[in-house]
Amino acid sequence: MADINAVAKQFVDFYYQTFAADRKNLKALYREHSMLTFEGTPIQGNTAITEKLESLPFAKVQHKVTTLDAQPSSPNVASVLVSVTGLLLVDDSENPLNFSQVFQLMPEGNTYYVFNDIFRLNYG
């Protein structure tokens, strides 16, 4: 199995850079059976997930990762569970929002795709 921490770091860097540059390009990371739970609302399929991400009401976004943890998520498949916490800066706001996001990455050939994605803003 590949070094899961390296896989997680590479994935998270790519995901958030792509999110900031052009969210529609995230579609390639999901499959039709992939699931996103965004603020408690479940969304399934790469097209529906991408439409949701593209519809978010901001033009610019920057994710500042505070913590990144990874674990193998199956004894039989080289899947990876990735947990991220951090700060989210949208548009020209000076007040960052706290967020947490969990990804389950499944192997596919020499790469991974997002099987599960859970995103929450953390208030309080």
Side-chain angles (χ1 to χ4, degrees):
M1 176 190 251
D3 175 3
I4 61 169
N5 291 313
V7 168
K9 172 88 167 89
Q10 182 179 15
F11 168 79
V12 167
D13 288 348
F14 178 79
Y15 184 91
Y16 293 133
Q17 288 169 4
T18 304
F19 196 106
D22 192 349
R23 288 174 253 174
K24 75 175 176 274
N25 292 329
L26 293 172
K27 185 174 183 175
L29 297 178
Y30 297 92
R31 302 294 176 266
E32 278 308 307
H33 55 271
S34 296
M35 175 75 74
L36 164 66
T37 300
F38 188 88
E39 290 290 304
T41 302
I43 303 159
Q44 186 166 14
N46 57 346
T47 299
I49 291 169
T50 306
E51 287 172 357
K52 172 62 178 175
L53 297 177
E54 286 184 278
S55 74
L56 296 173
F58 46 80
K60 295 188 302 187
V61 62
Q62 183 180 10
H63 294 82
K64 293 181 179 255
V65 173
T66 304
T67 66
L68 172 61
D69 298 299
Q71 295 180 352
S73 62
S74 169
N76 304 318
V77 180
S79 55
V80 181
L81 189 64
V82 181
S83 175
V84 180
T85 63
L87 301 173
L88 190 63
L89 293 164
V90 295
D91 293 328
D92 294 321
S93 175
E94 294 180 15
N95 300 316
L97 302 167
N98 291 301
F99 79 94
S100 62
Q101 193 160 13
V102 175
F103 300 97
Q104 183 176 23
L105 306 179
M106 299 298 287
E108 184 177 71
N110 294 327
T111 189
Y112 291 85
Y113 71 91
V114 179
F115 180 58
N116 297 102
D117 179 353
I118 301 171
F119 177 88
R120 280 280 184 181
L121 292 172
N122 302 340
Y123 300 103

